[in-house]
Amino acid sequence: MLFIIGMDKQHEHLMPLLETHCHRCGEVTQWHLWKEIEKASLFFIPVWRFAPDYLLVCEQCHDPVKLPREFGKALLEVGNHNDANQAELEALIDKEQHRSRIRP
Ligand SMILES: [Zn+2]
């Protein structure tokens, strides 16, 4: 018997989140929050939806930085756009972009 199993990734734009320096394009740019949804299907019928991932994407060079899932979810709640979160996001972008630069 033949099973046709598929994996499908969808991206959903949520909102512009912050303006900060991008190490890849070397400019201060707008970063947008995106949601990545992965679904598994059987005979083209979706049967499973994985927990979504949250990505920060640079508007200029489209460099994606993956956020910890809980943090990404928390950012969607109103009132979470504060200075502490902004600092944490900048630190995350810093760390991720630095890591991808030193990767062979
Ligand atoms: Zn960039």
Side-chain angles (χ1 to χ4, degrees), residues 1 5 8 10-11 14 17-19 21 23 26-27 31 33-34 36 46 62 77 82 85 88-89 96-98 100 103:
M1 184 160 181
I5 299 166
D8 188 27
Q10 284 176 354
H11 294 91
L14 298 173
L17 199 61
L18 80 159
E19 235 181 66
H21 181 78
H23 297 272
E27 284 175 49
W31 289 76
L33 185 62
W34 285 78
E36 183 181 79
H62 304 129
E77 284 159 35
N82 52 39
N85 274 338
E88 195 170 340
L89 286 167
E96 282 298 313
Q97 289 196 318
H98 183 65
S100 63
R103 214 179 276 154

Coordinates of all heavy atoms in Angstrom, one line a residue, residues 1 5 8 10-11 14 17-19 21 23 26-27 31 33-34 36 46 62 77 82 85 88-89 96-98 100 103:
M1 N 0.8 -1.2 0.0 CA 0.0 0.0 0.0 C 0.9 1.2 0.0 O 1.9 1.3 0.7 CB -0.9 0.0 1.2 CG -1.9 1.1 1.2 SD -3.3 0.8 2.3 CE -4.2 2.3 2.0
I5 N 2.8 11.1 2.1 CA 2.9 11.9 3.3 C 3.6 13.2 2.9 O 4.6 13.2 2.2 CB 3.7 11.2 4.4 CG1 3.0 9.9 4.8 CG2 3.9 12.1 5.6 CD1 3.8 8.9 5.6
D8 N 4.5 20.6 5.0 CA 4.3 21.9 4.4 C 4.6 23.0 5.4 O 4.2 22.9 6.6 CB 2.8 21.9 4.1 CG 2.5 23.1 3.2 OD1 3.4 23.7 2.6 OD2 1.3 23.6 3.3
Q10 N 4.5 27.0 6.3 CA 3.8 28.3 5.9 C 4.4 29.4 6.8 O 4.7 29.2 8.0 CB 2.3 28.2 6.2 CG 1.6 27.4 5.1 CD 0.1 27.2 5.4 OE1 -0.3 27.6 6.5 NE2 -0.6 26.7 4.5
H11 N 4.5 30.6 6.2 CA 4.9 31.8 7.0 C 3.9 32.8 7.0 O 3.3 33.1 6.0 CB 6.2 32.3 6.3 CG 7.4 31.3 6.5 ND1 7.6 30.4 5.5 CD2 8.2 31.1 7.5 CE1 8.7 29.7 5.9 NE2 9.1 30.1 7.1
L14 N 3.4 38.8 11.1 CA 2.6 39.2 12.2 C 2.7 40.7 12.4 O 1.6 41.4 12.4 CB 3.1 38.5 13.5 CG 2.9 37.0 13.4 CD1 3.5 36.4 14.7 CD2 1.5 36.6 13.3
L17 N 8.4 44.8 14.5 CA 8.6 44.6 15.9 C 9.5 45.7 16.5 O 9.2 46.3 17.5 CB 9.1 43.2 16.2 CG 8.9 42.8 17.7 CD1 7.4 42.8 18.1 CD2 9.5 41.4 17.9
L18 N 10.7 45.8 15.9 CA 11.6 46.8 16.4 C 12.6 47.3 15.4 O 12.7 46.7 14.3 CB 12.4 46.2 17.6 CG 13.6 45.3 17.3 CD1 14.5 45.3 18.5 CD2 13.2 43.9 16.9
E19 N 13.2 48.4 15.7 CA 14.2 48.9 14.8 C 15.6 48.8 15.5 O 15.7 49.3 16.6 CB 13.9 50.4 14.5 CG 13.8 50.7 13.1 CD 13.5 52.2 12.8 OE1 14.4 53.0 13.1 OE2 12.4 52.5 12.4
H21 N 20.1 47.6 14.8 CA 21.2 47.4 13.9 C 21.2 45.9 13.4 O 21.0 45.0 14.2 CB 22.5 47.7 14.6 CG 23.7 47.5 13.7 ND1 24.1 48.4 12.8 CD2 24.6 46.5 13.7 CE1 25.2 48.0 12.2 NE2 25.5 46.8 12.7
H23 N 23.6 43.1 11.8 CA 25.0 42.9 11.5 C 25.3 42.4 10.1 O 26.4 42.4 9.7 CB 25.6 41.9 12.6 CG 25.4 42.4 14.0 ND1 26.4 43.2 14.6 CD2 24.4 42.3 14.9 CE1 26.0 43.6 15.8 NE2 24.8 43.0 16.0
G26 N 24.5 45.6 7.9 CA 25.3 46.7 8.5 C 24.5 48.0 8.6 O 25.1 49.1 8.6
E27 N 23.2 47.9 8.7 CA 22.3 49.1 8.8 C 21.4 49.0 10.0 O 21.1 47.9 10.4 CB 21.6 49.3 7.5 CG 22.4 49.9 6.4 CD 21.6 49.9 5.1 OE1 20.5 50.5 5.1 OE2 22.1 49.4 4.1
W31 N 12.8 45.3 11.9 CA 12.7 43.8 12.0 C 11.3 43.5 12.2 O 10.5 44.1 13.0 CB 13.6 43.3 13.2 CG 15.0 43.4 13.0 CD1 15.8 44.6 13.1 CD2 15.9 42.4 12.7 NE1 17.1 44.3 12.8 CE2 17.2 43.0 12.6 CE3 15.8 41.0 12.5 CZ2 18.3 42.2 12.2 CZ3 16.9 40.3 12.2 CH2 18.2 40.9 12.0
L33 N 8.2 40.5 12.9 CA 7.9 39.2 13.5 C 7.1 38.3 12.6 O 6.1 38.8 12.0 CB 7.2 39.5 14.8 CG 6.9 38.2 15.7 CD1 8.2 37.6 16.2 CD2 6.0 38.6 16.9
W34 N 7.6 37.1 12.3 CA 6.9 36.1 11.5 C 6.6 34.9 12.3 O 7.4 34.5 13.2 CB 7.8 35.8 10.3 CG 7.9 36.8 9.2 CD1 8.6 37.9 9.3 CD2 7.2 36.8 8.0 NE1 8.5 38.7 8.1 CE2 7.6 38.0 7.3 CE3 6.3 36.0 7.3 CZ2 7.1 38.4 6.0 CZ3 5.8 36.3 6.1 CH2 6.2 37.5 5.4
E36 N 6.1 30.8 11.8 CA 6.3 29.7 10.9 C 5.5 28.5 11.4 O 5.7 28.0 12.5 CB 7.8 29.3 10.9 CG 8.2 28.3 9.9 CD 9.7 27.9 9.9 OE1 10.1 27.2 10.8 OE2 10.4 28.4 9.1
P46 N -4.4 17.7 5.7 CA -3.6 18.0 6.9 C -4.0 17.2 8.1 O -5.2 17.1 8.4 CB -3.9 19.5 7.2 CG -4.4 20.0 5.9 CD -5.1 18.9 5.2
H62 N 16.6 40.3 4.8 CA 15.8 39.1 5.2 C 16.5 38.0 6.0 O 16.2 36.8 5.8 CB 15.2 38.5 3.9 CG 14.4 39.5 3.1 ND1 14.6 39.7 1.7 CD2 13.5 40.4 3.5 CE1 13.8 40.7 1.3 NE2 13.1 41.1 2.4
E77 N 1.4 39.3 22.9 CA 0.4 39.9 23.8 C 0.6 41.4 23.9 O 1.7 41.9 24.0 CB 0.5 39.2 25.2 CG -0.1 37.8 25.1 CD 0.4 36.9 26.2 OE1 0.7 37.4 27.3 OE2 0.5 35.7 25.9
N82 N 8.0 46.5 25.6 CA 8.7 47.4 26.5 C 10.2 47.4 26.3 O 10.7 46.6 25.5 CB 8.3 47.0 27.9 CG 8.6 45.6 28.2 OD1 9.6 45.0 27.7 ND2 7.7 44.9 28.9
N85 N 12.1 44.0 26.8 CA 12.0 43.1 25.7 C 12.8 43.5 24.5 O 13.4 42.7 23.8 CB 10.5 42.9 25.2 CG 9.8 41.9 26.0 OD1 10.4 41.0 26.6 ND2 8.5 42.0 26.0
E88 N 16.3 42.5 25.1 CA 16.5 41.1 25.0 C 16.5 40.7 23.5 O 17.3 39.8 23.1 CB 15.3 40.3 25.7 CG 15.7 38.9 25.9 CD 14.7 38.2 26.8 OE1 14.0 38.8 27.6 OE2 14.6 36.9 26.7
L89 N 15.6 41.3 22.7 CA 15.6 41.0 21.3 C 16.9 41.5 20.6 O 17.5 40.7 19.8 CB 14.4 41.8 20.6 CG 13.0 41.2 20.9 CD1 12.0 42.2 20.5 CD2 12.9 39.9 20.2
E96 N 22.7 35.5 17.6 CA 22.4 34.7 16.4 C 23.2 35.1 15.2 O 23.7 34.2 14.5 CB 20.9 34.8 16.1 CG 20.0 33.9 17.0 CD 20.3 32.4 16.9 OE1 20.5 31.9 15.8 OE2 20.5 31.8 18.0
Q97 N 23.3 36.4 14.9 CA 24.0 36.8 13.8 C 25.5 36.6 13.9 O 26.2 36.3 13.0 CB 23.7 38.3 13.5 CG 22.3 38.4 12.9 CD 22.1 39.8 12.3 OE1 22.6 40.8 12.8 NE2 21.4 39.8 11.2
H98 N 26.0 36.7 15.2 CA 27.4 36.4 15.4 C 27.7 34.9 15.2 O 28.7 34.6 14.5 CB 27.8 36.8 16.8 CG 29.2 36.7 17.1 ND1 30.2 37.4 16.5 CD2 29.9 35.8 17.9 CE1 31.4 37.0 16.9 NE2 31.2 36.0 17.8
S100 N 26.1 32.9 13.2 CA 26.0 32.5 11.8 C 27.2 33.0 11.0 O 27.6 32.5 10.0 CB 24.7 32.9 11.2 OG 24.6 34.3 11.2
R103 N 30.1 30.5 11.7 CA 29.9 29.1 11.2 C 30.7 28.9 9.9 O 30.7 29.8 9.0 CB 28.4 29.0 10.9 CG 27.8 27.6 11.1 CD 26.4 27.6 10.8 NE 25.5 28.0 11.9 CZ 24.3 28.6 11.8 NH1 23.8 28.8 10.6 NH2 23.6 29.0 12.8

